[in-house]
């Protein structure tokens, strides 16, 4: 392909070679059949449409100076030139005729939709002045930064630390924090990095070939593994596209996956198919205490026998009863996994973990299979995210803050993996604090979170939120209730440094504002990125630097020093300074690689957009401790090596090695942490029943069965008018080509997907009165209802219904030019205190804009917003919002209309209170708020971990 059309200098090729990036020639497709050449300059950047951080190449038309399209960057080691549909759709985002181009400030009451254009200077002065006052009055804890889609490693941590506040909030507790807890209890790393390409057997508890975490880089490697002979099994209640590609589909009942996995573990243990040497050397089996057995002083085989006894209840038949997956299939998959041995890879991200109460046990049970097969840290196995992700350290890092913010980590959830952000409106309702300045960044909780009306109530209340600045590349339901809407750039309009654990290697990718890069290459001098971007779209890095200077202009607050150039003392840090310093000093091998090409490291990264740091990433736990580091250390009786009171390694086979970052420096089969923090029954990987278990369904409408355990399971209380049969709703599956808020006006994407009907099995459709595809059904939750079309399909088990969360955007004003390609115009009313009604007045229609395609919009559906009707379900241990819902489904009545939503936030507060009673609050041992060894975002100083620090 690359040589096609060479006669006249043009090319048709997959991934143009780097040497042609300055003048890439293609024919203009719109001129066909005439052969009219187009000349492009290609600039690498990083996709911002999911967390994978694939490499993009921006094709900048030399004639117009505009970005004409985006394709893949072949020099990016993770994505290797390939993209999913969302990568090229970046072009729709940057040319969206409805996008926000200038900073806006509200000109009427909050939520009234009255906006006036303002300047960046006014924004900095107003917000910076208010922050300065807060710091001077020692109210820094009233400042909070809340991120939806992250996408910059460390600069935000640096900024918050420089401000000295515990103010980092994130979306992770509606996303992935449950699985993270399951993983980190084993090995500290809170995410897996499966080496799919080298695996012999791959087990996915997700729709990972089509969507999910790092799915484009992973999907390539899963297919590579399959082409080399690996078999693929998929556990998913839904027949996803991924399941349809699998060798085995295991349609488990939602929330029972841990039972399935523990039954597989039992088969492996009972049939002696486990890797005894690995388990003996690399788990803390000597700490095992279970069912009256204490391993201390006992043999390894006695400990294995104790494990066998403990897991004896997880027979394949028990797994079949719980999950619906046949016992023979459980045995078959267990044997396949054992046969793959150290080349067994798996992935679990959201799905089962994010949907279910106790979903973190799924990740823990899955990791048990890796431990038993010795497939941790091996080629083709389960690696640790920390081993495959590279975050360079910048210059002069501010010290950790000495405060603990209980609006982020309330005492009820001491083991929460991330901030309790889904319950923030309820924490404020309980008067646990107030927000004087609230920054939201690429964050749309009104739409993406459960219980969005509680968010609206919070955001409208100026007593609770003094000033809300929404940093966002696109309009959103949340931005509507802000005081400032601050336009930030998409993939090709800002800087970031990205790295993800997408394969067996470590890499960094450089997101950069391509038009600024080209202008500067041409010799133009720009002070700020918004001078090159469309309108006055800015970027976060420069915003935070300049805001921090405005807050502390003379340096007297001690903040400004962290935003001064490492090259020009006392002068303001620039983005070039920031990244240049890291590329020159913190990325091993990069300066040498750049020098080989006669480039400075920053020039190298601007040219290629990515750099592979290393592929030496296997078995890093076995790394010897350097002799110099051993000086002054002490070997404990259990083999642990300590220095200055901290564990730094462990003796294995007589050798001092670094081990894992856990308290035992080994994989924690037995978690002393769980035992010490009031959950001794979960010291080992276990299964306990989800809030959507069949017994919970029964308990919601009748007498509970013995399977319903009220110590762990909250009982659903239906609103008075909820009717219909009880089902489990799966509300979290992704549509492969949509993003949450950011795909709003991406025409390539919405043309493909614009409906989210309710999946119903034909058996249930008949029970509901012969419901047919397209009929209206009403779905009742614990706090309200929504109305949508049915889609009758055998791709889902009876008793379960499903609806994708990617659709249902809305706008409250008809004529505001907001996301018109994807949103319905709605009548939104508060009909009584806490009672909200939404009705669609009109849906998507063609419209005139500077993009002629908006007149060609042919679809007329924006979907239905289900998340509004979900109460928060904070898992009592991980803190994760447990997304699955028990619902009652009935045919819609003649009063109901498509898209109707009703919610009572009084009920949502009551559900929050019920779930809170399941927690076992801090303090833990020694008056700790949280175990010191468990990671925490923007970790405070150790002193802040103790409750007494506030006294
Ligand atoms: S997987 Fe798709 S959306 Fe995600 S970064 Fe890659 S190209 Fe972008």
């Amino acid at each position: 392909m690359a040589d096609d059309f060479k006669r006249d200098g043009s090319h048709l090729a997959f991934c143009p070679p780097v040497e042609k990036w300055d003048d890439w020639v293609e024919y203009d497709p719109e001129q066909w059949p005439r052969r009219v050449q187009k000349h492009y300059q290609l600039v690498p950047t990083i996709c911002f449409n999911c967390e994978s951080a694939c490499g993009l190449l921006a094709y900048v038309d030399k004639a117009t100076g505009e970005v004409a399209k985006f394709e893949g960057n072949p020099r990016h080691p993770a994505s290797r030139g390939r993209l999913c549909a969302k990568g090229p759709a970046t072009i729709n985002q940057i040319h969206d005729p409805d996008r926000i181009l200038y900073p806006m400030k509200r000109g009427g009451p909050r939520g009234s939709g009255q906006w006036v254009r303002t300047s960046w200077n006014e924004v900095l002065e107003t917000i910076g002045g208010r922050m300065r006052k807060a710091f001077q009055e020692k109210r820094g804890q009233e400042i909070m930064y809340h991120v939806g889609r992250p996408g910059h490693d460390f600069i935000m941590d640096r900024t918050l630390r420089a401000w000295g506040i515990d103010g980092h909030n994130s979306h992770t507790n509606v996303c992935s924090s449950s699985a993270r807890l399951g993983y980190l209890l084993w090995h500290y790393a809170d995410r897996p990095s499966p080496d799919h390409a080298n695996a012999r057997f791959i087990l996915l508890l997700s729709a990972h070939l089509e969507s999910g975490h790092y799915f484009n880089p992973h999907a390539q490697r899963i297919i590579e593994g399959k082409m080399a002979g690996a078999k693929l099994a998929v556990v998913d209640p839904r027949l996803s596209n991924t399941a349809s590609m699998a060798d085995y589909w295991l349609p488990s009942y939602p929330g029972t996956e841990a039972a399935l996995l523990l039954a597989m573990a039992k088969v492996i243990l009972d049939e002696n198919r486990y890797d005894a040497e690995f388990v003996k050397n690399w788990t803390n089996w000597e700490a095992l205490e279970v069912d009256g057995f204490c391993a201390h002083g006992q043999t390894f085989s006695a400990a294995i026998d104790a494990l066998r006894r403990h897991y004896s209840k997880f027979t394949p038949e028990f797994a079949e009863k719980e999950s619906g997956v046949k016992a023979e299939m459980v045995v078959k998959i267990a044997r396949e996994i054992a046969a793959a041995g150290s080349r067994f890879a798996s992935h679990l991200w959201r799905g089962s973990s994010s949907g279910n109460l106790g979903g973190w046990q799924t990740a823990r049970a899955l990791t048990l299979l890796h431990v038993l097969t010795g497939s941790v840290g091996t080629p083709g196995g389960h690696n640790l995210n920390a081993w495959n992700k590279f975050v360079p350290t910048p210059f002069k890092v501010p010290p950790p803050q000495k405060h603990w913010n209980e609006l982020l980590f309330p005492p009820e959830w001491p083991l929460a993996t991330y901030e309790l952000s889904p319950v923030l409106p309820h924490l404020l309702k309980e008067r646990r604090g107030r927000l004087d300045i609230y920054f939201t960044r690429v964050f749309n909780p009104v739409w993406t979170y459960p219980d969005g009306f509680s968010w609206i109530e919070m955001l409208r209340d100026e007593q609770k939120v003094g000033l809300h600045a929404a940093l966002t590349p696109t309009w959103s339901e949340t931005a509507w209730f802000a005081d400032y809407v601050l336009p930030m750039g998409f993939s090709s309009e800002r800087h970031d440094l990205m790295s993800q654990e997408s394969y067996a290697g470590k890499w960094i990718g450089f997101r950069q504002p391509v038009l600024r890069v080209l202008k500067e290459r041409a010799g133009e001098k720009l002070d700020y990125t918004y001078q090159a971007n469309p309108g006055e779209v800015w970027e976060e890095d420069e915003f935070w630097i300049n805001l921090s200077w405005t807050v502390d202009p003379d340096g007297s607050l001690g903040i400004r020093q962290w935003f001064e150039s490492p090259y020009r003392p006392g002068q303001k840090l620039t983005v070039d300074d920031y990244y240049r310093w890291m590329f020159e000093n913190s990325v091993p091998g990069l300066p040498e690689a750049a020098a080989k090409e006669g480039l400075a490291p920053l020039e190298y990264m601007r040219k290629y957009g990515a750099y592979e740091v290393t592929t030496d990433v296997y078995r890093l736990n076995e790394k010897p401790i350097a002799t110099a580091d051993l000086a002054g250390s002490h070997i404990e009786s259990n083999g642990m090596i300590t220095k200055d009171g901290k564990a730094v390694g462990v003796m294995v086979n007589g050798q001092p090695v670094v081990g894992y970052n856990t308290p035992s420096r080994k994989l924690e089969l037995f978690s002393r942490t769980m035992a010490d923090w009031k959950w001794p029954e979960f010291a080992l990987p276990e299964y306990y029943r989800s809030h959507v278990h069949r017994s919970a369904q029964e308990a919601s409408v009748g007498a509970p069965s013995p399977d319903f355990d009220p110590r762990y399971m909250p009982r659903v209380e239906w609103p008075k008018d909820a009717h219909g049969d009880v089902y489990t709703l799966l509300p979290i599956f992704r549509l492969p080509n949509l993003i949450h808020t950011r795909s709003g006006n991406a025409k390539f994407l919405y043309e493909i997907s614009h409906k989210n009907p309710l999946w119903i099995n034909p058996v249930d459709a008949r029970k509901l009165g012969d419901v047919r595809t397209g009929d209206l059904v009403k779905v009742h939750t614990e706090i309200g209802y929504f109305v949508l079309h049915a889609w009758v399909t055998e791709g889902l088990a009876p008793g379960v219904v499903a609806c994708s969360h990617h659709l249902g955007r809305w706008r409250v004003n008809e004529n505001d030019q907001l996301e018109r390609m994807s949103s319905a115009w709605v009548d939104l009313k508060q009909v009584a205190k806490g009672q909200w009604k939404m009705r669609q007045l009109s849906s998507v229609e063609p419209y005139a804009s500077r993009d002629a395609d908006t007149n060609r919009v042919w679809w007329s559906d924006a979907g239905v917003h289900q998340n509004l009707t979900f109460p928060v379900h904070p898992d009592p241990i991980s803190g994760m919002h447990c997304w699955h819902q028990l619902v009652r489904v009935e045919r819609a009545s003649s009063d109901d209309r498509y898209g109707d939503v009703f919610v009572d936030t009084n009920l949502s507060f009551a559900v929050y209170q019920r779930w809170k009673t399941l927690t076992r609050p801090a303090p833990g041992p020694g008056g700790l708020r949280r175990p010191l060894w468990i990671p925490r975002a923007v970790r405070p100083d150790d002193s802040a971990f103790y409750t007494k620090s506030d006294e």
Side-chain angles (χ1 to χ4, degrees):
M1 287 279 270
D3 290 336
D4 285 357
F5 305 110
K6 258 194 172 165
R7 268 174 304 151
D8 60 1
S10 61
H11 300 264
L12 183 65
F14 170 69
C15 296
V18 178
E19 56 277 12
K20 295 188 185 295
W21 285 7
D22 281 340
D23 186 25
W24 178 250
V25 187
E26 286 183 358
Y27 291 118
D28 183 349
E30 289 183 2
Q31 303 294 330
W32 189 85
R34 291 192 310 136
R35 288 187 166 200
V36 177
Q37 290 189 344
K38 280 195 117 145
H39 289 254
Y40 297 103
Q41 218 167 348
L42 310 188
V43 184
T45 187
I46 300 291
C47 183
F48 186 52
N49 286 340
C50 85
E51 58 279 23
S52 303
C54 298
L56 295 180
L57 272 185
Y59 284 58
V60 182
D61 187 327
K62 286 185 162 182
T64 63
E66 287 209 352
V67 183
K69 62 176 177 175
F70 291 91
E71 293 189 359
N73 175 5
R75 296 295 294 248
H76 190 290
S79 55
R80 303 181 292 192
R82 299 166 177 125
L83 302 173
C84 80
K86 294 175 283 191
T90 302
I91 194 71
N92 300 158
Q93 295 169 312
I94 66 170
H95 293 323
D96 170 10
D98 289 355
R99 77 179 288 192
I100 319 159
L101 290 172
Y102 300 95
M104 311 287 276
K105 125 189 207 185
R106 77 177 157 95
R110 264 198 203 154
S112 65
Q114 296 167 58
W115 299 100
V116 288
R117 184 173 155 182
T118 187
S119 67
W120 282 114
N121 273 344
E122 187 273 327
V123 170
L124 293 173
E125 286 302 329
T126 305
I127 301 178
R130 189 166 179 138
M131 288 175 65
R132 183 164 59 244
K133 187 163 183 292
F135 287 127
Q136 285 165 340
E137 294 171 1
K138 308 280 180 232
R139 291 185 294 107
Q141 74 278 7
E142 293 183 2
I143 300 169
M144 185 180 284
Y145 164 81
H146 203 151
V147 64
R149 165 60 27 229
H152 42 208
D153 280 334
F154 207 79
I155 195 162
M156 203 57 227
D157 299 26
R158 177 188 188 85
T159 301
L160 293 166
R161 279 184 170 192
W163 294 351
I165 63 167
D166 193 25
H168 179 278
N169 212 336
S170 72
H171 77 282
T172 311
N173 256 323
V174 297
C175 177
S176 57
S177 65
S178 195
R180 289 175 189 255
L181 178 64
Y183 287 118
L184 77 84
L185 286 173
W186 271 108
H187 47 45
Y188 180 83
D190 67 0
R191 284 168 284 173
S193 180
D195 185 14
H196 294 304
N198 296 304
R200 293 210 184 106
F201 193 83
I202 301 170
L203 178 64
L204 301 178
L205 286 90
S206 61
H208 211 58
L209 271 175
E210 65 196 274
S211 61
H213 216 58
Y214 313 144
F215 87 94
N216 169 40
H218 276 185
Q220 302 176 19
R221 290 165 174 93
I222 292 169
I223 295 300
E224 266 174 41
K226 265 181 79 81
M227 289 177 74
K231 285 202 179 147
L232 173 65
V234 172
V235 178
D236 193 331
R238 204 172 53 89
L239 181 59
S240 62
N241 293 332
T242 302
S244 73
M245 296 286 287
D247 298 285
Y248 305 102
W249 174 37
L250 286 70
S252 57
Y253 186 80
T256 61
E257 293 82 358
L260 199 64
L261 298 168
L262 292 177
M264 292 176 191
K266 174 180 156 50
V267 171
I268 292 171
L269 279 168
D270 287 353
E271 297 185 357
N272 272 327
R273 293 173 188 262
Y274 65 98
D275 182 336
E277 192 185 349
F278 183 84
V279 177
K280 187 173 181 187
N281 283 341
W282 282 109
T283 68
N284 68 340
W285 64 269
E286 285 155 299
L288 184 64
E289 289 173 18
V290 61
D291 309 324
F293 172 84
C294 176
H296 185 68
Q298 302 265 11
T299 62
F300 174 65
S301 88
I304 291 291
D305 284 343
L307 276 183
R308 285 197 185 108
R309 283 194 299 277
H310 183 68
Y311 289 121
S312 61
K313 58 183 174 277
F314 291 101
T315 60
E317 292 71 29
F318 172 77
E320 176 175 337
K321 180 172 162 282
E322 289 294 291
S323 71
V325 175
K326 294 274 177 233
E328 311 88 79
M329 180 64 92
V330 174
V331 175
K332 188 175 179 53
I333 300 297
R335 289 177 182 159
E336 291 259 24
I337 288 171
S342 66
R343 292 189 183 268
F344 162 51
S346 73
H347 200 60
L348 159 69
W349 196 238
R350 301 180 182 100
S352 163
S353 280
S354 303
N356 294 291
L357 174 76
W360 55 279
Q361 290 279 23
T362 310
R364 207 163 171 223
L366 181 59
T367 310
L368 175 61
L369 293 177
H370 287 289
V371 172
L372 292 176
T373 50
S375 55
V376 181
T378 50
H382 162 104
N383 289 290
L384 279 57
N385 69 313
W387 294 357
N388 289 177
K389 178 178 167 91
F390 184 78
V391 182
T393 312
F395 64 98
K396 200 179 162 190
V397 178
Q401 70 278 12
K402 294 215 160 79
H403 306 286
W404 188 280
N405 188 342
E406 291 198 352
L407 288 178
L408 303 173
F409 286 93
E412 290 89 340
W413 292 270
L415 302 176
T417 333
Y418 268 77
E419 305 90 354
L420 262 293
S421 68
V423 303
L424 182 62
H426 300 305
L427 297 175
L428 293 184
K429 208 179 249 185
E430 291 176 323
R431 299 181 188 280
R432 300 198 195 195
R434 112 175 249 281
L435 303 175
D436 189 48
I437 300 144
Y438 184 46
F439 295 103
T440 55
R441 183 209 173 228
V442 197
F443 183 51
N444 186 10
V446 170
W447 192 73
T448 55
Y449 269 43
D451 199 12
F453 287 123
S454 289
W455 281 86
I456 292 179
E457 290 173 0
M458 176 190 109
L459 292 171
R460 289 204 318 187
D461 185 344
E462 294 186 33
Q463 296 305 311
K464 293 194 174 106
V465 181
L467 183 148
H468 172 200
L471 284 71
T472 175
T474 182
W475 274 106
S476 73
E477 287 79 352
T478 299
W480 192 258
F481 297 96
D483 301 303
Y484 282 92
V485 179
L486 307 178
M488 295 289 156
F490 285 109
S491 319
S492 57
E493 297 168 341
R494 44 188 279 256
H495 288 91
D496 264 342
L497 202 50
M498 297 298 304
S499 177
Q500 303 293 9
E501 58 280 8
S502 24
Y503 68 101
K506 279 185 181 178
W507 56 273
I508 53 169
F510 192 31
R511 189 174 281 140
Q512 52 182 349
V514 300
L515 295 182
R516 178 174 184 174
V517 169
L518 287 183
K519 281 179 191 285
E520 290 185 337
R521 267 189 210 163
E524 218 174 303
K525 174 86 190 84
L526 301 178
D527 293 322
Y528 299 116
T529 295
Y530 64 71
Q531 294 163 326
N533 277 343
E536 288 181 8
V537 170
W538 208 359
E539 63 168 314
E540 286 89 341
D541 289 4
E542 287 184 344
F543 177 74
W544 298 122
I545 294 167
N546 283 279
L547 182 64
S548 300
W549 269 68
T550 315
V551 171
D552 187 17
D554 56 6
S556 59
L557 292 176
I559 292 172
R560 204 187 88 168
Q561 58 173 314
W562 308 108
F563 301 94
E564 291 173 357
S565 168
Y567 300 102
R568 294 166 288 105
Q571 292 187 41
K572 196 186 287 178
L573 179 69
T574 64
V575 274
D576 266 14
D577 292 337
Y578 184 73
Y579 293 102
R580 177 186 153 194
W581 194 94
M582 278 193 287
F583 295 153
E584 287 176 353
N585 297 285
S586 289
V587 185
L590 175 57
E592 294 76 14
K596 267 193 204 152
E597 301 201 18
L599 298 172
L602 177 62
E603 289 172 329
Y604 181 97
M605 291 303 288
R606 290 221 183 275
K607 178 174 177 182
Y608 293 108
Y611 175 72
E612 186 173 66
V613 180
T614 182
T615 52
D616 179 14
V617 292
Y618 295 120
R619 293 193 170 102
L620 297 187
N621 51 308
E622 295 176 16
K623 208 167 109 190
I625 303 181
T627 314
D629 294 341
L630 278 174
S633 67
H634 177 69
I635 300 174
E636 311 282 335
S637 57
N638 60 4
M640 203 142 71
I641 303 169
T642 56
K643 190 170 175 178
D644 302 328
K646 289 200 168 149
V648 294
V650 65
M651 296 297 292
V652 172
N653 286 332
Q655 298 300 315
V657 292
V658 295
Y660 298 92
N661 247 346
T662 54
S664 63
R665 303 304 286 189
K666 291 197 174 179
L667 296 165
E668 300 229 320
L669 174 65
F670 178 84
S671 173
R672 171 64 56 201
T673 303
M674 292 303 288
D676 287 350
W677 286 77
K678 308 176 189 174
W679 297 95
E681 65 270 50
F682 297 145
L684 263 73
E686 300 289 353
Y687 162 65
Y688 70 105
R689 294 187 169 102
S690 158
H691 65 300
V692 295
H693 189 263
R694 288 188 188 89
S695 60
Q697 289 192 2
E698 291 156 14
S700 77
V701 288
S705 74
D707 284 347
F708 183 84
D709 189 340
R711 285 176 307 160
Y712 304 113
M713 300 164 82
R715 193 162 171 177
V716 166
E717 293 176 16
W718 297 108
K720 283 194 293 295
D721 57 351
H723 301 291
D725 296 338
V726 182
Y727 293 88
T728 290
L729 170 68
L730 309 185
I732 49 171
F733 68 91
R734 280 179 161 185
L735 297 174
N737 50 303
L738 289 186
I739 313 150
H740 293 115
T741 306
R742 298 190 304 292
S743 51
N745 260 14
K747 61 189 176 186
F748 295 174
L749 304 179
Y750 262 81
E751 183 165 22
I752 302 171
S753 296
H754 39 260
K755 285 182 188 301
N756 62 340
L758 190 74
W759 295 37
I760 303 178
N761 185 279
V763 171
D764 295 324
R766 279 193 293 279
K767 277 205 306 200
L768 287 166
D770 204 18
V771 162
R772 304 283 172 95
T773 293
D775 288 355
L776 275 187
V777 287
K778 189 170 184 176
V779 180
H780 297 270
T781 68
E782 291 166 271
I783 63 170
Y785 63 78
F786 61 102
V787 179
L788 75 172
H789 293 130
W791 183 48
V792 181
T793 170
E794 290 182 335
L796 194 71
V800 182
V801 292
C803 179
S804 168
H805 64 313
H806 263 149
L807 286 147
R809 303 293 309 279
W810 48 267
R811 63 185 193 278
V812 285
N813 285 7
E814 180 183 16
N815 295 321
D816 287 309
Q817 298 180 356
L818 315 175
E819 309 285 307
R820 288 173 284 174
M821 211 178 284
S822 58
S823 64
W825 169 39
V826 298
D827 179 25
L828 177 62
K829 282 199 186 95
Q830 192 169 14
V831 292
K833 190 168 184 304
Q835 295 191 345
W836 294 81
K837 250 188 174 159
M838 181 187 281
R839 172 155 282 185
Q840 296 191 359
L841 298 173
S842 71
S843 195
V844 179
E845 292 167 350
Y847 57 96
S849 78
R850 61 184 157 77
D851 179 355
D853 277 348
T854 60
N855 260 324
R856 301 184 187 112
V857 168
W858 54 265
W859 58 97
S860 57
D861 195 354
V864 176
H865 189 192
Q866 57 173 346
N867 289 8
L868 282 171
T869 68
F870 301 161
V872 289
H873 291 159
D875 184 278
I877 301 176
S878 71
M880 170 87 202
H881 169 64
C882 307
W883 276 101
H884 292 347
Q885 305 283 322
L886 284 189
V887 294
R888 302 185 79 156
V889 182
E890 62 177 341
R891 267 189 179 280
S893 75
S894 55
D895 292 337
D896 297 316
R897 297 241 299 266
Y898 178 74
D900 277 0
V901 170
F902 173 78
V903 170
D904 185 341
T905 58
N906 304 300
L907 297 181
S908 70
F909 188 65
V911 175
Y912 157 72
Q913 297 291 349
R914 282 207 292 280
W915 278 67
K916 203 170 57 171
T917 61
L918 302 173
T919 62
R920 299 180 190 174
L928 280 167
R929 300 173 190 275
R930 175 183 182 80
L932 283 164
W933 76 274
I934 287 191
R936 219 212 84 170
V938 195
R939 191 184 194 283
D941 186 74
D942 278 3
S943 59
F945 278 64
Y946 293 89
T947 45
K948 354 184 223 313
S949 69
D950 284 348
E951 290 165 10

